């Protein structure tokens, strides 16, 4: 099965490209898309960002909102679907700031799910490490965990695409 | 007509590469280069950065300094010239922090000009979104607007080049 | 001789890729690897980061720790070795915050060494300029110097590889 990772910066067109991939696979395989929204609407700015993305998606897609328990959410999805997870960065953020979650365990279960699932999966993530080292220790920890997560997912992905200025640029192809 | 976007980080060699492109087109087409400098010298550090760039350019190029009204500046340029705009990031900054400017309108007029102009145009911009989300809401807004502007310009560009460590790397070619 | 620059963000897999390159060259040339560690253990977090890297390296490599005087350290290495410098970003940081060091002089001596050495050299560095301009003037200065250093090294390198999510992506090849 194809596993796609789309990685880019803020407003680099990564969600739009991931949605096109999902749409193409759904059409060619005669399947529906299950859109797994990892965003949690903590504040008004985040709500606005979620609405912005929602407006751009086809109305017949199934949307599932998920908190930190992404693996649990994914394991309940019908096997006849293309899964789009948008995005791993918000999921990581949700996990690191929920005390009850063991991130290392959750992450290893996610990577195990990804390795063994029979779904076509398209995942969106952010690259956050091309800057001066942040002063804030939590921000440094976040950048470390994001980088390790991206490496783990990219190693299992059949295709990795880097987006910049809305242009998809293939960096790993199966 | 060729429309080039050169995108990179701080001190990634994007201006130098854009200047080489401008020089090559000017020579092969028998035209002069009009260098559109969007920088405004707000403070001494910015003045130093502007001087640094100015020293590196051929002396016979025509230089026009522009504030937020970039489209107005561009529309007055003689059609027999290669236009180099350096850079869209400073232009965006000038626009967002001038109260009298309607950014969305100015942006749409710029994209319209870019789509219809018969000039060869070379534009320099920054990628600013590969970092931890800034704490500052203005910085987040800036990163959003920069990302959207870059996407809009890249969609109209015939060529998009990503620069890193002084190396130009083509990501869109016509 | 081959000169490799591996450039990427935080936790992008750049050290691991550089270590693989060093290992391959050492095996094919029948040489040992001299690992030049530029990190100084200023605090516990940095000590932890150093340990993390150390655990991943082959035990028979020779490790030399160096402060700001990198060129002096490099000039003492036996010519029959593959040299891995990890990383230029920490070296720059050490140099800029040691009062006794003349950075411009140290840098020009390093570039001279790099141009003339007969060693195979593999260097790791960070790209730090793909973010909103930092508020802090020292951070802006660091980003400028890092960008200029990366350009200088990349110009002399036979190969430049960009790493993202653990994937090496060639941007200059000899």
């Amino acid at each position: 099965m194809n596993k796609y990772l789309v990685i880019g910066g803020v407003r680099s067109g990564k969600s739009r490209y991931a949605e096109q991939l999902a749409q193409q696979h759904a059409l060619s395989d005669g399947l529906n898309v299950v859109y797994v929204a990892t965003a949690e609407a903590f504040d008004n700015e985040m709500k606005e960002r979620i609405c912005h993305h929602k407006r751009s998606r086809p109305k017949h897609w199934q949307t599932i909102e998920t908190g930190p328990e992404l693996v649990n959410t994914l394991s309940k999805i019908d096997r006849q679907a293309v899964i789009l997870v948008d995005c791993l960065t918000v999921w990581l953020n949700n996990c690191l700031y929920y005390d009850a979650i063991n991130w290392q365990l959750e992450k290893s279960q996610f990577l195990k799910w990804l390795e063994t699932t029979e779904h076509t999966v398209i995942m969106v993530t952010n690259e956050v490490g091309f800057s001066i080292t942040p002063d804030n220790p939590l921000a440094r920890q976040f950048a470390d965990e994001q980088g390790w997560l991206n490496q783990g997912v990219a190693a299992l992905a059949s295709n990795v695409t880097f987006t910049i200025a809305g242009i998809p640029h293939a960096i790993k192809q199966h």
Side-chain angles (χ1 to χ4, degrees), chain A:
Chain A
M1 288 300 115
N2 291 313
K3 315 282 166 71
Y4 294 91
L5 180 65
V6 183
I7 184 166
V10 171
R11 306 304 185 195
S12 63
K14 55 195 187 308
S15 291
R16 197 182 56 230
Y17 179 68
E19 289 164 14
Q20 289 169 358
L21 283 175
Q23 187 77 328
Q24 287 164 10
H25 271 280
L27 282 172
S28 68
D29 300 347
L31 298 175
N32 198 8
V33 174
V34 176
Y35 180 91
V36 179
T38 60
E40 300 223 319
F42 291 120
D43 59 25
N44 284 336
E45 184 179 321
M46 190 56 94
K47 281 181 189 160
E48 174 51 38
R49 284 170 188 259
I50 293 172
C51 282
H52 174 82
H53 279 296
K54 201 172 270 180
R55 284 191 296 271
S56 70
R57 295 196 299 267
K59 293 206 187 332
H60 62 275
W61 289 10
Q62 184 191 348
T63 296
I64 303 178
E65 297 199 8
T66 184
E69 298 87 355
L70 175 62
V71 183
N72 189 40
T73 301
L74 292 167
S75 66
K76 292 176 185 163
I77 295 175
D78 186 287
R79 63 189 293 255
Q80 301 298 316
V82 171
I83 298 177
L84 169 50
V85 180
D86 191 354
C87 68
L88 301 182
T89 301
V90 173
W91 173 54
L92 175 63
N93 190 65
N94 289 344
C95 285
L96 292 185
Y97 304 109
Y98 262 72
D99 287 339
I101 288 287
N102 177 334
W103 165 243
Q104 297 304 331
L105 181 60
E106 187 71 19
K107 172 182 158 180
S108 73
Q109 289 177 339
F110 173 68
L111 294 176
K112 184 76 184 166
W113 174 85
L114 182 62
E115 194 172 6
T116 55
T117 184
E118 294 184 18
H119 289 94
T120 289
V121 185
I122 297 134
M123 296 159 285
V124 176
T125 196
N126 280 71
E127 169 57 54
V128 302
F130 289 112
S131 69
I132 291 287
T133 305
D135 289 335
N136 179 343
L138 281 179
R140 289 199 296 276
Q141 181 205 17
F142 190 90
D144 281 355
E145 293 295 348
Q146 178 73 79
W148 283 320
L149 175 62
N150 289 344
Q151 287 188 46
V153 173
L156 296 174
S158 50
N159 297 66
V160 180
T161 302
F162 173 54
T163 57
I164 185 165
I167 312 288
H169 188 61
I171 57 172
K172 178 180 178 181
Q173 287 176 292
H174 91 136

